[in-house]
Amino acid sequence: MSAWTDLVTASLLGTEKGAGATLMPTTLENALGPVDELSTEARFLTRAGALALWRQAGRRPVRGEMVTHPPAPVESLPLIGPTSVAHLRAMLDGHCVDALPEWLEAVARLGKRVPPEHLPALLEWARQNRARRPLAASAGGERVRWLAARNPAWNFAADDSPEHWETGGREQRVGILRHWRATDLAQARERLAAAWKTESADLRQAFLGVVVETLGEADDAFLETILDDRSKEVRTRAAELLRRLPKSAFAARMTARAVPLLTFQPGGLLRRPTLEVQLPAEPDAPGKRDGLDPRAFGLYHKEFGDRAIGLIQILAATPLTHWTDTFGQPPDVLLKALGKQEFAPAAATGWALAAILQKDPLWASALLDGPVQPASSFLAFGGLFAALSESAQIEKLRAAARDGTIGLDPSRSNAAAALFVQFASARRELPPELSRAMLACLRRIADESPDGQWPPRLDGLATALALKMPPVLLPEALAGWSADKPRPTRMIPLLDFRREALAALTQP
Amino acid sequence: MEMLTAPQVLALAPDPASVKAGQSLASPAEWSALGRDGRSVWGECQGSALYRTQADLTGPAFHCSCPSRKFPCKHGLGLLLVLANHPARVPETATPDWVAEWIKRRDAGAEKKAARPMDAVPADPLAAARQEAEKSKRSARREDRVQAGLAELQTWLGDLIRQGLARAKDQPARFYDAMAARLVDAQAPGLARRLRGWPGLLASGEHWADRVLEEAGLVQWLLNGAARLDALPDGLRAGVRAAVGWTMTEQEVLADPRAERCTDRWQIVGRRIEEEEKLRVQRTWLVGERSQRAALCLDFAAGNQPLDVSLLPGTAMEAELVFYPSAAPLRALVGTRQKPEPSGEPAACADFEAAADQTAGWLAGDPWLERAPWLVRGCVPGEHGGRWCLRDATGGIVPLARRLGSPWPLVAACGGAPATVFGECDGHALLPLSVFAEGRFIHLEDGTP
């Protein structure tokens, strides 16, 4: 349509640059009627307006190739109800979003699914944190896998059927490996070993992260080969996994290194039992291959020195049952037998690392209450506590709630409060008696609060409690607060929201 | 008693902060002494003090003893959310005095308002004549002011096109805003709004000159029309007046004998809320089941005022719509109406071609129509030339408006299968507002709660 193009060119230059009369289609010119009384500019624009309108009214959809999507599989699960959709939207908008993981789990458990139009927001939420990913993927029916395959950012939730093993994205392949490890361990090992050499170091690390979830003695042989991997990070990670396998060849080698280091003298009538500690030599080549490295703990090695670090590493990788079996003594006796010798703390630290990794409640308990303290900077916070038996953990937390350890004094309270949060986060639901003890503790803190303010420091604890206590306890959570005292602001609404949202899901 | 759903309640919130604050009070545990009767709902909420909150559901209207100046306050929103989500926790009980008194005061106020007619004609004929003369003098003054503003715009536009669009592109945004501000002063807000869109058109990338020239031509047409308003046929005159920005009050529309009325079962097929110059504008689109007519209801809310929430997308109601006078009537008011119910899938155009034909018809009556309603079945989203588009059953392709935040909710809802899509077409691209897929109506969120 050249009349329009001419007009556009003329308009760019300006009518003063001699843009002449534009040739218009006659029918259009006639339809315009007389325009002579208008100024040159107005006449020009009137014609432009006519053509513009003509173009607009005649505008038609274009034709051509378009990249569309294959049809999504038919859904078999019913959608959640409108009230639940409102709950989901509230959470995705940031209201009580902490309750979303539990809610998604319930959606999947009840065999329902989230309506497709909310899946993009859900996948965006899931993308930010790996722990959220399987939750989002399991609550979206067939559509969520279909949708995730359309957008590379979401491929963590894409179809984990095996045909994508060789072609899929990082998260997709991690998902497929996880699926195999859950259903057919032998096949999973075979496929992983076959693909291993050609994968990137990042992906090899990610695969080991999946293996550790379902680690078993049968992984020994494969992990042993990884000790010779090209990447140092991957080698270190493999050694870390092997330390969890007490029957492995790796454990046997470590035990052999450990045996000469500790010498036990049983006690007698006038003699206390003693356990003499010797430091190992610098690691030889096979030792280095097994991950022995004085720099493994970074800056913290200064606390002990290179050879003591070697002691810690060897003890950390030796099965704890070796000591109790060989010396015929329980852990508390062995700890006591270390006495006050220089390297007693290093030995206790090695044992503590072993107790955490091997989840040995007896050793954990002895180390927590024992006469020799392991160096805390070498241990993850709460590690030994988490290795205790569940009943022991609950008992300790209840005691901390009861005796005022958790309270207004930060120096006494912070660590215990953090242990509670850790305990709660690792569980689906808190036992009722612990929930009640913690509620009583919070009410007492509110009553004791000197300035009428709820200490924000304890908000995390209150939130963890609201998230994991049984929702049926809501009436108890509501009762007993003094009217003129502060209370944790988010706790009750969160608990109430959970109760309502979970109940709404079970309604047809 | 008409109960609002949670999304309807949240739509009442004056701002996003209020949505959040209201949701934090949406749990019955935050409330005591909750109750309702056939008309109102009430409760007490412990904030810095104990606040008494009440709502009259016929409005909805709110009253709260808290000091917030937001309207409705978070307590009002929270209270209605409790009622929407947990109706069983709000028992029907006897109305307490503090609620009954407020309702009484409201009713008394409403009666007073009703007793005062819009334009009371004084009994004294002399005074009546004086009042009539005053009124026409007022409107003549306004006409003069508008015409003066339009004359100024004509000069400005003439200068602009004489010097060329290439130079106009170099002008800062305030050059256009200043002209827009003068048009606001001249009481031509419709033209002012168009002018404010110019910096965006000038910066719109490839083919920007085409878009600016189109717009300049249409503004020129508007000036031509306004210059000879009296010579225009009724419908077109109304169209020019509306586009310039002479507003009609609802009463004027309802009283206008030329205003078209249409009784039908109206399906509410789409809604979008946009911010315009400190004003929230809610555009709600309706389609008549029997008449197949489209209608647009506009609602404006300044500052903290709530928007009308009675037209909920995905519902349908028997109602009489009164259309604003125009040669291509789309904008309408809802007159008498009945209770809304869930709606089915509306009858839609078979393809984009048909929708474009319909749009051409509207443009013939109203050249200044900016967004036409498109309701087309058999649409599939996909990518064409690096841009998200919709394709109809015949292979016609229309790009999706860039203003659409994310195409993914639409893609997810369609699931690769053809679906009926409703949206606004601005002549270049389609902004989808809702989808009918797998037997469900899906309102695509516009980000504004």
Side-chain angles (χ1 to χ4, degrees), chain B residues 114-143:
Chain B
R116 191 176 56 216
M118 274 291 301
D119 290 296
V121 183
D124 176 8
L126 214 72
R130 208 163 37 229
Q131 192 182 8
E132 193 53 39
E134 188 60 40
K135 208 174 137 193
S136 67
K137 213 155 98 194
R138 248 199 330 264
S139 89
R141 264 206 304 271
R142 166 150 197 209
E143 301 273 336

Side-chain angles (χ1 to χ4, degrees), chain A residues 10 27 48 81 85 113 137 142 168 173 227 241 313 355 407 471:
Chain A
T27 41
V85 170
R113 67 186 167 101
E142 296 289 336
R173 303 187 58 197
L227 288 175
L241 263 59
Q313 284 196 302

Side-chain angles (χ1 to χ4, degrees), chain B residues 240-312:
Chain B
V240 171
R241 291 180 65 97
V244 169
W246 268 286
T247 49
M248 286 180 86
T249 65
E250 294 194 5
Q251 284 85 353
E252 281 169 336
V253 175
L254 292 172
D256 195 323
R258 288 163 306 174
E260 226 183 308
R261 281 149 203 276
C262 183
T263 302
D264 202 337
R265 186 165 186 269
W266 294 94
Q267 300 193 348
I268 297 151
V269 293
R271 185 185 68 200
R272 184 167 172 89
I273 300 167
E274 290 176 351
E275 299 261 348
E276 252 177 41
E277 292 287 300
K278 292 177 202 150
L279 207 61
R280 276 175 307 141
V281 183
Q282 175 175 268
R283 308 163 60 81
T284 310
W285 288 98
L286 298 86
V287 169
E289 276 180 15
R290 298 185 290 272
S291 63
Q292 303 285 306
R293 280 190 73 155
L296 170 66
C297 289
L298 291 181
D299 190 39
F300 305 91
N304 293 337
Q305 293 302 309
L307 283 161
D308 176 23
V309 290
S310 64
L311 300 175
L312 194 68

Side-chain angles (χ1 to χ4, degrees), chain A residues 259 262-264 275 322-329 334 351:
Chain A
V259 166
L262 299 185
T263 318
F264 184 67
L275 187 58
H322 170 79
W323 307 116
T324 40
D325 292 352
T326 310
F327 300 144
Q329 299 291 337
L334 292 178
W351 278 340

